[in-house]
Amino acid sequence: MHVARNKRTYVARSGEQRVYESVLVRRTYREGGKVRHETLANLSALPAEAVAALEATLKGERLVAAGQAVTITGSLPHGHVAAVHALAAKLGLPALLGPAGRPRDLALALVISRVVRPGSKLSTLAWWADTTLGADLGVAGASTDDIYAAMDWLAGRQDAIEAGLARRHLAPQANPSRMALFDLSSSWLEGRCCPLAARGYSRDGRKGTLQIEYGLLTDPAGRPVAIRVLEGNTGDPAAFTGIVQVVRDKFGLQKMVMVGDRGMITSARIDALNRLEDGTPRPDPYGWITALRAPAIKKLMADDGPLQLSLFDEQDLAEIASPDFPGERLVACRNPVLAAERARKREDLLAATEKLLAPIAARVRAGRLSGAAAIGVEAGKVISKYKTGKHFDLTITDDSLTMKRRQDQIDAEAALDGFYVLRTPIPASELDAAAVVTAYKNLKYVERDFRSIKSDDLDLRPVFHRLEERVKAHVLICMLACYLTWHLRRAWAPLTFTDEHPPLQDNPVAPASRSAAAQAKASYQRDPAGRPYRSFRGLLEHLATLTRNQVQVTGAVADIPMLTEPTSAQREAFDLIGVPIPLTLK
């Protein structure tokens, strides 16, 4: 018996050609030397899948129930770790970490995990078995001792790793401007036994906690190159001196231009920057770009000073000179948007202070609060809350409290609103005034890296490690993860809300603006194909839905690894980093 399919075609009166198919079960036999066909059943009304099943059975094939033909014995999230690992391999990060071996595999897994799922080392260790990262890198069975040994190994390789990154991104071939950005931040620690822990100025607003400082060195685009962990009470100038020694002595880079904030590159550091230990000038001087503090700007704006408001009647930028800064160029800028914002914020703080002081004054008048000491304590809490004490005159007696704004002090501070002055010894033939402003404002990229490291992406804080080398290794892992994140954000910009092509600014003093395409992303939320734009973290989560399944086929000896069918966004994510979707990480 077999299934026969008969087609016949005819032309209707309308001229339309029509095709009819009949599906029959027939028995074929010979009779008197002739082949005969006997129709046993007409299957034309059955569903196509039923006909196909009957036809396969008649051909001798063995059929099993749909739920028993294939069994998925395991399924692990794969896409997110595969994408990050593929980019790391493309950037040469494994070779940069050190020679192949288990310590490198563990260190690489820690860096990738920090990008994909930041968490404590113990939670990361448990998570490895839940993704293909653990199986493919052979780290799923690692112990806590293995993790800590890998961190110690990585800390010992820090100088070599950072020197490799410096050759890539700070050497003259890759960085013709010979410019590097540096800034300092801090994070608090849990515990009290770390040798680096100290109380200092907390940039996280965690007053009274033990903390560490860490300085980040980047190229002009904000790509992380090196990081140094310092004691929690280290000042900005000392951190700057340390990183200059690293760049000059360990990286071997000559005639660099270091860009740092006003509290970091002080006059004393500038004087010591280009002198040898015996005080003689260095033959390979470093340049620098920084900003003046408010008192120095105020002095320049004095009646006979070089900084006058008339300079900014038709422009936002002016280059001036002052005998107080011999051999240096001063680039003065006025940002009217910043001036208006600072004036608004100041008025809001003053009004908020007066609002909180008013009930205290009412209590004093009503006799519910008396004594100069008690009144002073209550008033001091308010003044310190918004840090506006310098703008108020408070008169306190045992039975009275009066307050008055110091309008002359407020006006003097307001005169500086929106002004900042940059200083540099770089001649105008090498760097014009607009380029000086742009270079200084590029410190925003380092600040963006700090946000990525500390909260947005990598969750560095708080630090739970106790040993000094482990703390340094933890921060180094976060820096290397930030290096990967820096490249991933740019590669995946078409799929996320990231501005793919930020507009070039004719006026470097003006606030940065987003491109029309980026504004359209934020408005419409979907791309032309109808797919939703995602955040960086949201795209990683979407990639995690691309799983690798262990498929067991009935009758087969071994399981077959197979990927789920990727979505168009998942395919494009791998296309944007220039690699095919891998079945395994290595």
Side-chain angles (χ1 to χ4, degrees), residues 239-290:
F240 176 73
T241 299
I243 200 65
V244 169
Q245 292 173 348
V246 169
V247 174
R248 178 179 272 147
D249 301 335
K250 292 189 177 182
F251 299 164
L253 298 175
Q254 308 300 321
K255 295 185 178 180
M256 293 291 292
V257 178
M258 304 296 295
V259 184
D261 208 350
R262 67 194 70 197
M264 183 172 297
I265 308 180
T266 62
S267 297
R269 299 298 170 178
I270 291 171
D271 184 62
L273 178 64
N274 292 317
R275 293 187 179 276
L276 298 171
E277 293 182 0
D278 60 2
T280 58
R282 283 185 174 272
D284 54 345
Y286 268 28
W288 42 266
I289 298 173
T290 189

Side-chain angles (χ1 to χ4, degrees), residues 338-361:
L338 178 61
E341 175 62 20
R342 287 185 175 173
R344 181 201 64 78
K345 185 176 181 179
R346 183 188 303 106
E347 180 58 33
D348 288 348
L349 292 175
L350 293 173
T353 301
E354 290 172 335
K355 183 177 180 180
L356 292 180
L357 285 173
I360 298 175

